[in-house]
Amino acid sequence: MKSYRRELWFNVPTRRAFINITSQIEECLKESGIKEGLVLINAMHITASVFINDDESGLHHDFDKWLERLAPHEPVSQYRHNVGEDNADAHLKRQVMGREVVAAVTEGKLDFGPWEQIFYGEFDGRRKKRVLVKIIGE
Ligand code: ZN
């Protein structure tokens, strides 16, 4: 069995953003040489997510509005976590959007449905953060 590991770095200039990382994962897959197996992609930070959904700007706007309704950033004083920091909402948003995704690799490609794309979801940006890519298989 072959195994491949890589870290992808992000430094998002805004507090929140959704970034399509599908092509970067496809690059990793190519580099790994693995044709049949599984790829795991996870945020290495507890205020960011990796998730699969549609690459449609209206939907991303809807996600952002929905998450802001669930866990508004302001007022920061409403959260007990915010002692010396202001990112409690980011922890909650990440929990809803998930830590990681696992995708099947078939014939050297991500075995996706027609609209599936992989996203990095940032909820407390403006600093360097990492995503882990682990691919195992043959
Ligand atoms: Zn925190």
Side-chain angles (χ1 to χ4, degrees):
M1 189 197 74
K2 280 197 248 183
S3 156
Y4 171 94
R5 182 190 190 276
R6 190 163 142 198
E7 291 174 5
L8 305 176
W9 284 88
F10 299 90
N11 193 348
V12 175
T14 51
R15 182 178 290 274
R16 294 195 302 276
F18 298 126
I19 298 166
N20 189 334
I21 60 170
T22 312
S23 62
Q24 284 172 274
I25 304 306
E26 285 168 343
E27 228 173 79
C28 292
L29 191 52
K30 207 171 161 189
E31 203 174 273
S32 76
I34 292 168
K35 302 287 179 208
E36 297 292 324
L38 291 172
V39 54
L40 163 78
I41 309 125
N42 68 267
M44 296 179 85
H45 300 263
I46 52 181
T47 54
S49 288
V50 173
F51 64 95
I52 293 177
N53 217 302
D54 195 1
D55 195 0
E56 198 278 304
S57 61
L59 179 66
H60 294 182
H61 178 83
D62 295 339
F63 271 139
D64 192 57
K65 288 282 165 212
W66 176 63
L67 290 166
E68 237 340 79
R69 276 200 303 273
L70 282 175
H73 177 66
E74 304 272 359
V76 295
S77 61
Q78 72 189 299
Y79 300 104
R80 289 195 188 181
H81 177 69
N82 284 340
V83 178
E85 56 182 342
D86 66 352
N87 67 3
D89 67 302
H91 290 275
L92 299 175
K93 286 165 175 143
R94 170 259 170 71
Q95 204 62 30
V96 169
M97 297 304 280
R99 170 183 182 263
E100 79 276 304
V101 299
V102 175
V105 175
T106 304
E107 293 174 359
K109 294 209 160 77
L110 294 169
D111 201 340
F112 274 173
W115 299 106
E116 289 186 294
Q117 295 282 299
I118 310 164
F119 294 90
Y120 174 66
E122 178 61 84
F123 306 113
D124 184 26
R126 300 174 295 190
R127 58 196 168 101
K128 285 182 78 183
K129 290 163 89 168
R130 284 175 295 166
V131 164
L132 176 67
V133 182
K134 183 87 183 189
I135 310 171
I136 55 168
E138 309 268 319

